[in-house]
Amino acid sequence: MDSGIRVRVPAKINLALMVGRQRSDQYHELATLFQAVSLYDDITASSSSDGITCEVLGAEAHKIGVGDDNLAVRAAKLLQEIYGITEGVHLVIDKRIPVAGGMAGGSADAAGALLACARFWELRIPVNELMELGAQLGADVPFPLMGGCAVGLGRGESLTPALCRGVFHWVLAFSTSHLSTPEVFRRFDEITAPHSIPAIPQVSQELMMALISGDLDRVGELLLNDLSQASCSLLPELHTTLRAGREAGCLGAIISGSGPTIAFLTKSESAAADLGVTLSSLGIARDIRLVTGPVGGAHFLED
């Protein structure tokens, strides 16, 4: 029986997300600091006699299409087109990264599909080339293939690995609501004075040095997301969740990406567990997860 090629791919959080001016292609210049964390989707590629097919497993499976609107399907079709593949493939996405949560779940699935399909079709494609292909699908697709920590420029797709010392213990608060990334950026443009938006944003050197030295307290102080005000204005409940985590003693809190997932940095595994219990007892989030970072990028799961 064909058990398929299985790939595990991580979610990301943004330790910093700095927004610059809008470009001629209507996207904004970004400078972001990614960290891959231990929350994963699993992608399996196996034989199909019906072209490219897809199914999604997990609690939020009903929220995800399985046609061309699915980035993993589009990733498989991109490989087919570029490398002249005629054989079909069946993709199974075991979904644990929240849908539309600001953690690049769809992009992670596309990254996992690229890696799984490349092996399934016996294509010998280096990871750096898969990352270049991933950038054609979306700005967040290359990073899950790399993992670790990285600075992303442009739309976030131009990556430079970042040094990081120590283990980061995060508490993730998943919202009951979703946020549309384009809507958040539109709101950012509405409420931000144009003269205050830099042409080319940069991640602060202070944050980079804190990351290199493993200074968790300083990292917590320097977490910054330029989209936070826009996200909170669209979803005011985020204010309540951020305040609750800070009052409970986290080192720092940040909305990941355009939201609505909130990441709280803690001092240790036990501190993360305590904060998770506190937030759960308040009932202000759909779900609470404890994760660590940085973790490696997309990788094969061998039976």
Side-chain angles (χ1 to χ4, degrees):
M1 181 177 177
D2 178 14
S3 61
I5 303 296
R6 299 171 61 218
V7 167
R8 178 159 289 174
V9 60
K12 63 82 179 169
I13 57 176
N14 303 80
L15 282 64
L17 179 54
M18 321 307 293
V19 181
R21 293 177 192 161
Q22 202 170 49
R23 312 181 329 178
S24 59
D25 62 5
Q26 304 307 306
Y27 290 99
H28 288 74
E29 289 286 349
L30 300 179
T32 187
L33 179 57
F34 293 118
Q35 185 175 101
V37 296
S38 59
L39 176 64
Y40 302 96
D41 282 354
D42 291 347
I43 315 297
T44 303
S46 58
S47 297
S48 168
S49 58
D50 297 317
I52 294 175
T53 57
C54 179
E55 65 179 298
V56 184
L57 310 176
E60 294 190 287
H62 63 286
K63 300 176 182 177
I64 303 172
V66 294
D68 285 347
D69 57 340
N70 188 302
L71 270 180
V73 171
R74 287 165 56 191
K77 289 189 174 183
L78 180 64
L79 286 180
Q80 262 195 341
E81 178 184 345
I82 291 176
Y83 291 94
I85 302 297
T86 57
E87 183 183 359
V89 68
H90 181 62
L91 299 174
V92 178
I93 302 172
D94 190 355
K95 194 82 186 136
R96 291 181 289 272
I97 303 171
V99 176
M103 301 191 73
S107 296
D109 297 341
L114 285 173
L115 190 61
C117 290
R119 176 174 283 192
F120 179 75
W121 286 323
E122 298 182 346
L123 304 173
R124 298 183 181 277
I125 310 174
V127 171
N128 65 312
E129 292 184 19
L130 287 177
M131 290 170 61
E132 292 175 6
L133 293 174
Q136 298 181 34
L137 297 163
D140 282 344
V141 177
F143 178 69
L145 288 161
M146 174 185 284
C149 289
V151 173
L153 301 177
R155 291 171 51 206
E157 80 283 5
S158 178
L159 298 174
T160 302
L163 295 174
C164 178
R165 180 172 295 168
V167 177
F168 288 64
H169 294 275
W170 299 93
V171 178
L172 304 179
F174 298 158
S175 174
T176 55
S177 304
H178 293 141
L179 283 172
S180 159
T181 297
E183 186 179 9
V184 172
F185 274 97
R186 282 194 295 270
R187 185 65 179 140
F188 171 84
D189 289 332
E190 291 171 358
I191 65 178
T192 308
H195 68 268
S196 69
I197 303 176
I200 304 295
Q202 294 182 330
V203 175
S204 77
Q205 286 302 305
E206 291 84 359
L207 177 56
M208 298 300 297
M209 293 305 297
L211 201 68
I212 291 170
S213 64
D215 186 342
L216 294 177
D217 292 280
R218 187 65 177 144
V219 170
E221 293 172 0
L222 293 169
L223 298 175
L224 182 62
N225 184 345
D226 283 347
L227 295 177
S228 290
Q229 185 180 359
S231 298
C232 288
S233 72
L234 292 168
L235 201 59
E237 68 190 55
L238 297 179
H239 283 295
T240 303
T241 306
L242 285 164
R243 183 171 60 250
R246 287 166 175 153
E247 290 177 351
C250 69
L251 298 180
I254 191 167
I255 297 172
S256 183
S258 58
T261 301
I262 297 175
F264 299 96
L265 180 62
T266 63
K267 194 78 172 178
S268 63
E269 183 178 3
S270 61
D274 290 343
L275 178 59
V277 169
T278 298
L279 294 176
S280 294
S281 68
L282 295 173
I284 56 176
R286 172 174 61 85
D287 195 11
I288 301 293
R289 298 285 182 89
L290 309 185
V291 300
T292 59
V295 300
H299 56 279
F300 296 104
L301 294 176
E302 305 295 347
D303 291 329

